[in-house]
Amino acid sequence: MAVQIGYQEQCRSVSQRTVLKFGGTSVGKFAPEIARICLSSIFQNHSVAIVCSARSGESKSEGTTNRLLKAAREAAKPNSTRHHDIVSGILHEHLETAKFVSPEIEERLRWDISAECNALENLLDSLSKTEDVPPEAEDKILSVGEKLSAQYLTALLEDHGILAQYVDLSDVIDFTVPRSLNQEFYRELAYAIGRRIELCGDKVPVLTGYFGLLPGGLLKQIGRGYSDLCAALAAVGTKAKELQVWKEVSGVYTADPSKVPTAKLLSSIDPREANELTFYGSEVIHHFTVEQCLPSIPIRIKNVLAPQSPGTLITPSSPANLQSHPKRPTAVTVKHQITVVNVHSHRKVEDADFLAQICKILASRSLNIDLFEKNQFHISLAVHSKTPIVKGPEDRGGEQDAEDLLSQHKDLQHAIEELSEYGSVDVVRNMAIISLVGLQLKRSIGIAGRLFTALGDGNINIEMISQGASEISISCVIAEREALRALNVVHTDLFTFLD
């Protein structure tokens, strides 16, 4: 093992800190690459802090976070012991990766992993008579994934000769949390995280992407991208030079490069476009991350497998830049697992109370409205379930865990029953939303027509059409089975042919 050295020797004139965020797949599959990236950053005189997600395997459905959610659900069932098998699998997987040159580092990590999993089992056992998992318990269960990842990366860096310090942020919130999280809360949390980082001195801080208990639960308040937000708060709290979010692709493309071979890498993207792409299905970055960092701290999406690639910079576009770029969309994306709900009202849809009640019913059943259109007596809504799922759309062809599907089916059925009081209701399942996104859309003449023509020429039927409220997106609802073909058809017609 290399002789360990601290920052004072590694970089005698340290520049502003760079925050490096590594996703679960990178931690699970590309740990050696992470170590090389950190070494390279340090020896280029960059002071770094690291934030990591819970470990994932070949797919997110088999990732630690999904298994922890499933373990919690199993533990709450009367007389169920299946959560023990899930925890045993998590323990075995993490112990298998704990193999280092230094026997001391390896032994310490194996002990830490075992201790975390033992505590997890005790917590799960305490849920046996609850039937439902309380938000506070769910948050504590979720935190184990990020703790195991951060402990592993700390040991990995130490084994490569870098002095590193594990930073558990599960108790970082030492102040009163408002029920509605406002900017003052995030400002105070960023400051608290920054203090924890500075306490590490000349060691590389390795932070858990989990940052403590929140009213109503972390998933309800933030969603599954909470580790991205944690990295943003770390960047704000340390006044970082840049936040780098490391993935397994070289940045943001004009379409998903795993599905569209002709997709092209974008050198930069406006934060409004990044948020819109994330909302409509592309996993660019959590929108809270953008809100916290920009405009003061730039965000760069980079590839763990191609660290020399500059990636995609998320930064606000100036009017001059917009004028110099061609008038075309920035990207096309697809959002899966959409259901269309049509309500044929007994009264005028313009009634504000009617619209409010529709939204309230859907929200109470964990159904988010993505798009809607209406006329005098009819409203159509494209919705998706916001209930945490064990398998996501990226793992499909999108098959979800059977219990998740049942839960989401019940939510939808209950919503339909309640909506029936306001009129007749019909439902169209297995749909998807295809969206064009770009700041140039509001300056582009004929783009919407080209989108509809491309889909029509491909014999792809359109169920709904919507212009985004932000004026930087145009969306259509199509059949799920046509989503992949539609993505390629639209990209070919509106991106490849326009070049």
Side-chain angles (χ1 to χ4, degrees), residues 367-474:
L367 295 167
N368 271 357
I369 300 172
D370 293 298
L371 303 173
F372 81 92
E373 61 181 24
K374 66 181 180 68
N375 58 29
Q376 193 172 11
F377 293 100
H378 173 89
I379 183 169
S380 294
L381 307 106
V383 303
H384 76 274
S385 174
K386 58 183 178 181
T387 303
I389 57 175
V390 173
K391 288 190 178 181
E394 72 280 356
D395 298 308
R396 296 213 279 264
E399 296 175 13
Q400 292 174 235
D401 179 90
E403 196 163 342
D404 284 318
L405 284 172
L406 179 61
S407 173
Q408 293 181 10
H409 175 73
K410 287 180 178 178
D411 285 339
L412 181 59
Q413 287 304 118
H414 287 311
I416 292 170
E417 290 170 10
E418 294 178 50
L419 290 172
S420 297
E421 296 180 13
Y422 296 89
S424 60
V425 180
D426 63 79
V427 173
V428 185
R429 294 179 172 83
N430 301 318
M431 306 300 282
I433 297 174
I434 184 166
S435 302
L436 283 179
V437 174
L439 291 181
Q440 296 284 14
L441 288 183
K442 56 186 175 183
R443 299 176 56 239
S444 304
I445 298 174
I447 289 294
R450 291 200 64 166
L451 168 64
F452 307 144
T453 299
L455 293 172
D457 289 346
N459 293 317
I460 298 167
N461 189 51
I462 298 173
E463 180 76 17
M464 284 176 63
I465 298 171
S466 175
Q467 169 88 42
S470 62
E471 295 188 340
I472 66 167
S473 67
I474 301 171

Side-chain angles (χ1 to χ4, degrees), residues 60 256 259 273-285 332-338 370 384 392-394 432-435 437 475 487:
K60 289 191 176 182
D256 185 339
K259 298 174 182 176
E273 294 172 323
N275 283 339
E276 203 81 353
L277 284 169
T278 297
F279 181 81
Y280 285 116
S282 296
E283 291 190 8
V284 177
I285 196 166
V332 58
T333 186
V334 168
K335 189 169 191 173
H336 301 278
Q337 296 175 345
I338 298 298
D370 293 298
H384 76 274
E394 72 280 356
I433 297 174
I434 184 166
S435 302
V437 174
S475 301
L487 189 63

Side-chain angles (χ1 to χ4, degrees), residues 20-46:
L20 312 179
K21 162 60 177 34
F22 294 101
T25 303
S26 296
V27 174
K29 296 174 65 177
F30 306 115
E33 285 78 5
I34 291 176
R36 285 193 285 272
I37 289 165
C38 294
L39 280 167
S40 174
S41 295
I42 290 167
F43 285 106
Q44 290 179 49
N45 293 341
H46 295 159

